[in-house]
Structure formats: structure tokens, C-alpha cells
Amino acid sequence: MSVKIRLKRVGKVHAPQYRVVVADAHTKRDGRVIEEIGRYVPTADPSVIEIDSERVQYWLSVGAQPSETLLSLLKLTGDWQRFKGDKDAKSTVKPQEPKAPFERDPKKKSVILPKTETKKAAPATDADETPAEA
């Protein structure tokens, strides 16, 4: 059985996200996989590349072949150089900046309007009506 390390597409139509997977070479692109070992989000700025280095090294050592696209990602993370024998390989992937915590602007009013209670009209009774003077 020949094994490939490749990308499995997930996500919406115009918002692709990929999982780095180990699969049999004869399975479909998004078909059955042996193991998921990472993820890749190309639409984020900078792109998110998270790959489990230990598992990649294991699968490469037992003969799994990376696809062309994944090979370029492995070179960015430094995993390919480590597999080839360079112990000083470093990742050139830019880290994702954490989101700033949300702080409410005290000058602005809330966009969410409070619910207003509707007053029910009281039914008119005979006692409430004033007699018409003739």
C-alpha cells in the first residue's frame, strides 16, 4: 500500500481550509484517511500552518510521500529539512497575532434596544363612561 501525505479540503465554497492528512494514494481527495496530522488555512493573514512535526517525521521515515503542495508547506515549517538530516532547521512560518480583547467604547450607545412593553388597552366599562348631559 502506497501512502501519501496530502491536503484534504474542508470549509465553504469560497473560504477553503485544509487538513493535513495521511491517506492511501488511491483514495479520493476528501475520502477516507489514516490520520490527520495538521491544518492549513490559506485565507488568513498570515496563513495558518499547524503541522504535528513528530507525526510528519514518523510518516516520512516509514515511506509516505508528500504531495507537491504539502512539500512546500513542510519546507516552510522546517520539517522537510529535519527529515533530510539538517538538525538546525527552523520554521519560517509567521506566527498568528492574537486578537485584541474587545473593549466597549463608553462614548457610543448600545445598538441593542431594550424590549419595550406594550400596554394593553383597558376594556371600556359602563361605569367609566360619563353620562351625556342633555
Side-chain angles (χ1 to χ4, degrees):
M1 173 167 91
S2 59
V3 178
K4 289 261 191 195
I5 304 174
R6 60 185 182 197
L7 297 174
K8 174 181 178 177
R9 185 180 165 135
V10 294
K12 296 181 181 178
V13 174
H14 294 291
Q17 295 185 10
Y18 299 93
R19 291 186 183 147
V20 179
V21 297
V22 178
D24 181 24
H26 301 292
T27 60
K28 298 178 183 178
R29 177 191 71 177
D30 299 336
R32 186 174 175 192
V33 299
I34 298 170
E35 182 180 2
E36 290 183 9
I37 55 176
R39 70 185 194 115
Y40 170 54
V41 183
T43 55
D45 187 36
S47 296
V48 176
I49 302 172
E50 297 174 356
I51 297 177
D52 186 358
S53 185
E54 282 185 24
R55 297 307 296 164
V56 169
Q57 295 303 320
Y58 167 76
W59 283 107
L60 290 173
S61 69
V62 295
Q65 296 295 313
S67 66
E68 290 180 22
T69 308
L70 191 68
L71 181 61
S72 64
L73 292 177
L74 292 177
K75 287 180 181 178
L76 286 175
T77 60
D79 291 323
W80 185 251
Q81 292 88 336
R82 273 188 232 113
F83 173 67
K84 288 297 184 183
D86 183 10
K87 301 295 181 192
D88 299 328
K90 294 182 182 177
S91 175
T92 59
V93 177
K94 294 179 184 175
Q96 194 75 6
E97 294 181 14
K99 281 187 170 181
F102 176 76
E103 294 181 15
R104 188 173 90 71
D105 188 1
K107 297 176 187 173
K108 294 183 180 178
K109 292 184 179 180
S110 175
V111 179
I112 301 172
L113 301 175
K115 291 183 180 178
T116 57
E117 293 183 23
T118 56
K119 295 182 181 179
K120 293 183 179 179
T125 59
D126 291 338
D128 291 340
E129 296 177 8
T130 57
E133 294 182 20

